[in-house]
Amino acid sequence: MRRPVIAGNWKMYKTIAEAVAYVDKLKPVAGRARHCEVVIAPPFTALAAAAQSARGSEIKVAAQDVHWDKEGAHTGDVSAAMLVEAGATHVIIGHSERRRDHGETDEQVNRKLKAALASGLVPIVCVGETLGEREAGNTRQVLERQFAGGFCGLTPAEFSRILIAYEPVWAIGTGRTATPEMAVESHRIIRELARREFGEGAAISLRILYGGSVKPDNIGGLMAQEEIDGALVGGASLDVGSFADIVNYPRS
Ligand code: 13P
């Protein structure tokens, strides 16, 4: 049985004060969730304060990026040890906005992933195709390329600590959610790649989250799919009420 993960990616939103107020409101409505893991990903500046506020609840805190080096001359970057010290337990790696805005490559994703694992962080690695790639019928090839580049050189034990988020780029912030069937099709491809590379056990236990315009009114349909093990939520995670509704999605 794979325990679902509902994660909120705040992107470049919320000050420290706003983050603390959010967590204080989230705790009573989602801080005791048993049916899923709850993760929020504030910007770097609010990580420590959010983690401090979340203490004593089940809410976990993720960073939105990490550098692969332990330390060094990398202006603007943050190391895995710094994230752990700030109270992060998870880290998002390879989000399509970082690939787009910062030219991140699969090779860099791989290095970041290894640094995160070495520091005991749970990586949430994002993969997914653009609209052009989908329309050209290349979704599978894109996922294969991102998987091969992003996850190379890992042992099955290391791979088993990773969460993957399937985020079709065309569904992010557009209001165009992939249908549950489209998401399932891509999740199956990812699970098959995991099976091929890391074995049956790793594939069966791998949790694959869906991301892209997840809202309170479509989470139920997505989570009803056996293949969908959670969600990485952007815009709809910024409001506590709507994120709590997503965390407490309808379950039969
Ligand atoms: P939206 O939910 O705003 O589409 O963003 C999805 C996302 O990029 C989460 O990482």
Side-chain angles (χ1 to χ4, degrees), residues 9 11 95 97 167 171-174 211-215 232-236:
N9 175 9
K11 308 190 178 184
H95 193 281
E97 286 151 14
E167 296 210 316
I172 296 176
T174 58
S213 297
V214 173
K215 309 276 181 246
L232 184 54
V233 187

Side-chain angles (χ1 to χ4, degrees), residues 4-6 218-226 228-231 246 249-250:
V5 179
I6 304 289
N218 60 26
I219 184 72
L222 291 161
M223 293 306 294
Q225 308 297 318
E226 165 92 33
I228 299 181
D229 306 311
I246 294 172
Y249 57 88

